[in-house]
Amino acid sequence: MSSHEREVSVSPVAIRLGFWCATIAVFTFVVYTICFIAILLSSPVFTWTTVADYVAYVEAYGGPLRALAQASMLVFSLSFVVLLHSIHEVTGTERRILPRISISFGSLFAVTIGIHYFAQLSAVRINVLAGETEGLQHFVQANPYSILSAINMLGWTIFLGLASLFVAPTFSVAKPERVIRLAFLMNGLFCLAGGVGYVWEITWLIFVTTTLGMGAAVLVGAAALARWFRRLDRRR
């Protein structure tokens, strides 16, 4: 579907929501990246052993950066759902089923990672500060195979991957939509490959796909979407 055809019947609210949510997505991923690099440079990498070791690590190297990174991803998940709704609104009738399916998977993505990050920012943090650590190993993000970490990875790999793959064909192969389409396709593949790496404990695959690949694909795709929605708004 051409950009001109999209412009004819699209609500300005949908376009502006799309622009701002895409902008928020870029901003939150930039914040997360800065926090991630700063944590790596300011403290040793923590390898999960026991809850006691984790508490000692938090006491020695804890700070606001980890919480800021978690909060930024929580905000990203919410903006992503609204972004998908905006894409749905600018999609022609013949293709609207695709972003509608994507919204379903995107909502599951937001719920799963939202539960995870909210628990880290609230219950886990409060229990660590209070010294109540019994059973906490099943909920701490630092434990890569805790219950909540598995739920979090389900969101980032399966649900985000499927949401990306279903929404990608909504965009044409012509410029300027080609970049958005390719970014969503690559993100979907990276996410699903990361899920395989997580299930089979292939650490390098998880890092390459869900840290490097997904991060780059989301940043490129969100930036391209923000520019695209802005262009639609100006031409409306």
Side-chain angles (χ1 to χ4, degrees):
M1 185 178 191
S2 68
S3 295
H4 174 71
E5 288 175 313
R6 294 178 191 268
E7 293 163 25
V8 172
S9 59
V10 177
S11 161
V13 175
I15 294 176
R16 290 167 188 167
L17 274 175
F19 168 76
W20 284 111
C21 286
T23 301
I24 290 171
V26 172
F27 177 74
T28 52
F29 254 78
V30 169
V31 169
Y32 177 83
T33 301
I34 293 173
C35 291
F36 182 79
I37 295 173
I39 291 172
L40 286 179
L41 294 177
S42 62
S43 59
V45 177
F46 178 76
T47 302
W48 176 260
T49 48
T50 64
V51 174
D53 289 340
Y54 171 72
V55 172
Y57 178 85
V58 170
E59 291 175 347
Y61 303 104
L65 290 178
R66 193 175 306 276
L68 180 59
Q70 293 168 341
S72 68
M73 291 297 92
L74 179 58
V75 173
F76 166 77
S77 70
L78 302 177
S79 68
F80 183 71
V81 174
V82 181
L83 180 58
L84 292 177
H85 277 281
S86 297
I87 293 172
H88 177 266
E89 288 301 308
V90 301
T91 302
T93 305
E94 75 281 1
R95 292 188 180 183
R96 290 195 110 188
I97 184 63
L98 297 175
R100 186 176 293 122
I101 295 172
S102 181
I103 289 169
S104 298
F105 286 119
S107 298
L108 290 172
F109 158 71
V111 169
T112 50
I113 79 161
I115 290 172
H116 169 79
Y117 287 119
F118 188 76
Q120 303 306 311
L121 291 167
S122 57
V124 171
R125 179 185 60 83
I126 292 170
N127 276 285
V128 168
L129 291 175
E132 300 290 339
T133 60
E134 184 178 356
L136 206 60
Q137 69 271 16
H138 298 299
F139 303 96
V140 176
Q141 182 177 352
N143 179 0
Y145 294 101
S146 67
I147 293 172
L148 279 189
S149 290
I151 292 174
N152 186 46
M153 288 300 291
L154 172 64
W156 281 111
T157 60
I158 305 301
F159 293 147
L160 180 59
L162 291 175
S164 298
L165 290 178
F166 272 103
V167 79
T170 301
F171 299 93
S172 72
V173 295
K175 293 182 179 180
E177 297 183 16
R178 182 189 304 163
V179 174
I180 303 171
R181 180 187 179 102
L182 182 60
F184 271 123
L185 283 173
M186 293 304 298
N187 189 59
L189 295 176
F190 282 134
C191 289
L192 294 179
V196 173
Y198 182 76
V199 171
W200 294 101
E201 300 182 83
I202 309 174
T203 304
W204 68 265
L205 181 59
I206 298 173
F207 179 76
V208 170
T209 56
T210 62
T211 302
L212 300 180
M214 181 185 67
V218 169
L219 277 174
V220 171
L225 275 168
R227 183 179 180 185
W228 181 68
F229 274 113
R230 174 54 63 88
R231 184 174 299 173
L232 289 180
D233 194 26
R234 287 174 176 172
R235 294 180 178 178
R236 186 174 48 82

